[in-house]
Amino acid sequence: MSHVVIRGIPFATRLRAAKGGAKELLERDRARAQKFLAGKSHHAFVAAKAKHASSTGANSSIDVTDSGVTYTTQVGVGSPATDYTLLIDTGSSNTWIGADLPYKPTGTSHNTGNTINVSYGSGSMSGKEYTDTVTLGPDLVIQNQGIGVASTAQGFEGVDGILGVGPADLTQGTVSNTTEVPTVTDNLYAQGTISSNSLGISYEPSSTANVSNGELTFGGTDSTKYTGTLNTVPLTTTSPASAYWGINQSVSYGTSQTILNTTAGIVDTGTTLLLLATEAFQAYQKATGAVEDSTTGLLTITSAQYAKLQSLYFNIGGVTYEFTPNAQIWPRGLNSTLGGNEGQIYLIASDLGSSVGSGLDFINGFGWIQRYYTLFDTGNKQLGLATTAYTDADTN
């Protein structure tokens, strides 16, 4: 197989801030976390915006556009294809359409006769299962991909559905007469389109919305998007984190105060914030001197406190990853998306809403993934992490 990198001009995308500001964002993240804790998959709040593409190979990249709070990608279904705007979610695994734009069957469509029902942290869908041709890009075409076609969908305003790229096990119990449904990544690999069953994700922090600053690479990594070594760590065996992209990590505030001993949690594109088990969150709040902002529900600090803010250190697989003070704050240029005040400093760490020892004690969400290149490696049951040119950026 040759080497494929897909690049091009990004589609226009609009800012998709939560209507209820940060409080709605927090509610969605926590509802999502409660579904994870219950061992269920659920709906993305962050996804990816695809670019038009060209060229051919063994791994394939889709560029994505940061829309402030969410990412979406254009996915073609059928032949000729109809384009649907889907959320990309590493925390669920069903791909489905029909929340807004209706499904348009073509000669490649096949009704399997099965039904599909998926419950999410802040939404749900039910409908029929079809197999069809799914096009992620000119060089990323999947034959006979199992998809859901929604007859009812709740909680998905402004999008057509989800592109689920979590572990295929999460599809168990969602489709009648079916053990599990292979994901788009599984099928790209099985059909020989990509050379490994993996997905690389590069996001870059930005203080403006609607900029092209991310890339999804199916079948490997894009080495131009990270610096140094890509370190890999086995997925955790601790339940319920083990059902998702779960790892073990410890977290320290500064170089001397451990706020979370080594424990299991997940890395998740669909969570916006950095969520920590209640005891770890309380220790962080005390260490920073932050107070809860009544308007947004987020922690806020003064400029003087920000000047003294220490880095957080994440120890994952024996490697320490520094999460700088600037990485810990919401981009001040995007405070309006939170319903927040201009110039105020909001922290992105929030309370997971459960105690340490639940089997899922943290979620390293979108704000964290913006600082580290991430490889979701299904074939080798591991997660890869690397620093990027933006790990230490002061863009926020």
Side-chain angles (χ1 to χ4, degrees):
M1 275 178 249
S2 56
H3 179 76
V4 178
V5 177
I6 297 179
R7 303 191 186 284
I9 299 170
F11 290 105
T13 187
R14 62 192 177 87
L15 180 65
R16 291 179 44 76
K19 293 176 183 176
K23 285 191 173 178
E24 180 185 331
L25 195 156
L26 267 169
E27 287 171 6
R28 284 176 178 257
D29 272 5
R30 286 176 180 155
R32 184 176 176 85
Q34 290 308 307
K35 279 285 188 178
F36 281 141
L37 286 160
K40 308 283 188 183
S41 68
H42 39 311
H43 143 221
F45 197 56
V46 175
K49 181 77 186 177
K51 283 184 166 187
H52 283 303
S54 61
S55 85
T56 58
N59 71 42
S60 299
S61 301
I62 295 176
D63 290 325
V64 297
T65 297
D66 184 351
S67 54
V69 174
T70 58
Y71 283 94
T72 57
T73 186
Q74 296 296 309
V75 175
V77 179
S79 182
T82 298
D83 282 342
Y84 297 90
T85 302
L86 304 185
L87 296 167
I88 288 184
D89 185 15
T90 58
S92 71
S93 304
N94 294 88
T95 290
W96 62 270
I97 60 175
D100 187 10
L101 188 66
Y103 179 48
K104 188 176 180 181
T106 67
T108 56
S109 306
H110 173 66
N111 184 342
T112 67
N114 296 329
T115 58
I116 179 171
N117 292 276
V118 189
S119 174
Y120 298 88
S122 52
S124 62
M125 71 78 63
S126 62
K128 297 179 180 179
E129 186 200 36
Y130 283 74
T131 59
D132 209 336
T133 299
V134 171
T135 302
L136 302 178
D139 303 296
L140 292 170
V141 180
I142 307 159
Q143 309 300 326
N144 302 310
Q145 173 66 45
I147 60 169
V149 175
S151 53
T152 62
Q154 296 178 321
F156 299 94
E157 294 77 13
V159 296
D160 297 313
I162 283 182
L163 184 71
V165 290
D169 292 0
L170 295 177
T171 64
Q172 293 175 6
T174 61
V175 178
S176 63
N177 306 309
T178 305
T179 303
E180 65 181 39
V181 182
T183 67
V184 292
T185 317
D186 291 337
N187 279 332
L188 284 169
Y189 177 65
Q191 293 173 19
T193 307
I194 57 177
S195 58
S196 71
N197 191 351
S198 61
L199 173 66
I201 299 185
S202 165
Y203 292 137
E204 298 167 10
S206 173
S207 57
T208 57
N210 308 317
V211 293
S212 174
N213 67 345
E215 182 186 81
L216 305 175
T217 302
F218 287 90
T221 62
D222 182 346
S223 60
T224 69
K225 296 295 184 180
Y226 60 89
T227 56
T229 304
L230 184 82
N231 301 297
T232 58
V233 62
L235 298 180
T236 187
T237 57
T238 301
S239 180
S242 56
Y244 307 93
W245 288 107
I247 58 171
N248 297 320
Q249 73 178 18
S250 66
V251 184
S252 298
Y253 179 75
T255 54
S256 59
Q257 182 183 355
T258 300
I259 62 171
L260 186 65
N261 289 314
T262 301
T263 188
I266 65 172
V267 178
D268 179 43
T269 60
T271 299
T272 307
L273 303 170
L274 168 65
L275 298 183
L276 300 170
T278 299
E279 295 87 344
F281 170 73
Q282 290 171 343
Y284 176 74
Q285 181 176 1
K286 183 177 180 181
T288 60
V291 296
E292 184 178 316
D293 175 64
S294 58
T295 302
T296 62
L298 297 176
L299 293 182
T300 185
I301 55 175
T302 65
S303 295
Q305 288 171 320
Y306 178 56
K308 296 178 181 178
L309 192 64
Q310 303 284 306
S311 290
L312 285 169
Y313 294 93
F314 294 73
N315 189 289
I316 303 169
V319 179
T320 299
Y321 300 88
E322 182 178 5
F323 198 60
T324 65
N326 188 261
Q328 294 171 51
I329 69 172
W330 184 264
R332 283 164 283 188
L334 294 175
N335 278 358
S336 61
T337 66
L338 298 174
N341 297 321
E342 186 177 349
Q344 193 161 347
I345 301 172
Y346 301 99
L347 298 173
I348 66 166
S350 195
D351 188 351
L352 182 63
S354 60
S355 294
V356 170
S358 68
L360 198 159
D361 293 335
F362 61 83
I363 302 179
N364 295 355
F366 168 63
W368 195 88
I369 300 171
Q370 283 184 318
R371 302 293 177 140
Y372 290 100
Y373 191 92
T374 309
L375 176 68
F376 297 91
D377 188 347
T378 299
N380 295 303
K381 297 182 180 179
Q382 64 186 10
L383 191 84
L385 295 167
T387 56
T388 75
Y390 300 92
T391 298
D392 300 325
D394 287 326
T395 50
N396 292 348

